[in-house]
């Protein structure tokens, strides 16, 4: 997957099972033999080149209010686990080439006509879960929100920001897989209109 959605948990699937019976007189059954069929399959080895790919363990996450004060309302959560997988032969990767994942956010739209909350109100702190043993995979720097006035560059996830990167793809390809997440923080003025809001964080893998 190349994109992950940041939104409320709203999908609820409901279903009902209906048992249909047929009433009638019981009839005795008589067995007249058994036959068996052996099933086999031959799975050939895949010889095509490996790939560099990204997957995300879910398409939704929820932010909950945490740490608000009289001036600012704050909502926190985290991204589903992001996995980068490299199945290529290290010898097929050019020397000095590295991969990196960038992320950005849309504005948060309200579900009842509330003014949207800009992407500059959403910040994150990327965090490695498993960066491998080589130490060549690192997470991006924290990005603060427009309401973090002490930040040197308060802008939130308006532009593509670094989530994680590998300095040398060939040197670590043998490790095969790395995982990371990001702690998310949405900060709004205390007078923000109440209601449900949703937005989208897009993650992109480059090399």
């Amino acid at each position: 997957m190349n994109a992950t959605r940041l939104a409320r948990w709203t999908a609820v699937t409901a279903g009902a099972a209906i048992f249909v019976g047929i009433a009638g007189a019981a009839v005795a059954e008589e067995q007249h033999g058994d036959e068996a069929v052996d099933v086999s399959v031959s799975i050939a080895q895949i010889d095509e080149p490996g790939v560099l790919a990204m997957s995300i363990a879910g398409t939704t996450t929820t932010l909950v209010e945490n740490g608000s004060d009289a001036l600012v309302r704050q909502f926190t959560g985290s991204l589903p686990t992001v996995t980068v997988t490299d199945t290529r032969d290290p010898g097929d990767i050019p020397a000095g080439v590295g991969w990196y994942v960038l992320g950005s956010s849309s504005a948060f739209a309200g579900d009842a006509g509330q003014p949207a909350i800009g992407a500059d109100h959403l910040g994150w702190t990327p965090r490695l879960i498993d960066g491998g043993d080589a130490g060549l995979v690192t997470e991006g720097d924290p990005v603060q929100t427009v309401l973090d006035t002490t930040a040197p560059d308060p802008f939130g996830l308006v532009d593509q920001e670094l989530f994680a990167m590998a300095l040398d793809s060939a040197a670590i390809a043998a490790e095969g897989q790395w995982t990371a997440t990001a702690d998310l923080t949405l900060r709004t003025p205390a007078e923000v209109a109440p209601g449900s809001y949703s937005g989208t964080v897009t993650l992109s893998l480059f090399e």
Side-chain angles (χ1 to χ4, degrees), residues 2-21:
N2 293 331
T4 168
R5 293 187 174 278
L6 172 66
R8 299 173 296 112
W9 288 98
T10 56
V12 178
T13 302
I18 301 175
F19 175 77
V20 179

Side-chain angles (χ1 to χ4, degrees), residues 5 14 17 33 38 43 56 62 72-74 90 96-97 119 121 125 152 160 168 178 193 200:
R5 293 187 174 278
D38 292 330
I43 301 177
I56 303 174
T62 301
V72 174
R73 296 187 70 175
Q74 177 169 284
V97 172
H121 290 264
T125 301
Q160 288 189 317
D168 190 333
W178 310 270
T200 301

Side-chain angles (χ1 to χ4, degrees), residues 46-51:
I46 298 176
D47 295 323
E48 64 187 46
V51 296

Side-chain angles (χ1 to χ4, degrees), residues 82-182:
V82 178
T83 300
V84 175
T85 302
D86 196 345
T87 59
R88 300 172 295 178
D89 186 319
D92 295 335
I93 305 172
V97 172
W99 56 258
Y100 54 98
V101 178
L102 303 180
S104 62
S105 177
S106 70
F108 283 73
D111 64 357
Q114 304 99 322
I117 300 171
D120 54 350
H121 290 264
L122 180 69
W124 71 6
T125 301
R127 177 166 46 86
L128 288 179
I129 298 173
D130 183 358
D133 297 327
L136 297 179
V137 177
T138 59
E139 69 267 22
D141 292 331
V143 174
Q144 294 184 302
T145 78
V146 71
L147 296 186
D148 293 301
T149 55
T150 60
D153 251 325
F155 50 79
L157 297 181
V158 175
D159 298 317
Q160 288 189 317
E161 300 296 334
L162 181 63
F163 174 75
M165 66 180 296
L167 300 177
D168 190 333
S169 296
I172 62 170
E175 293 181 342
Q177 193 172 89
W178 310 270
T179 53
T181 185

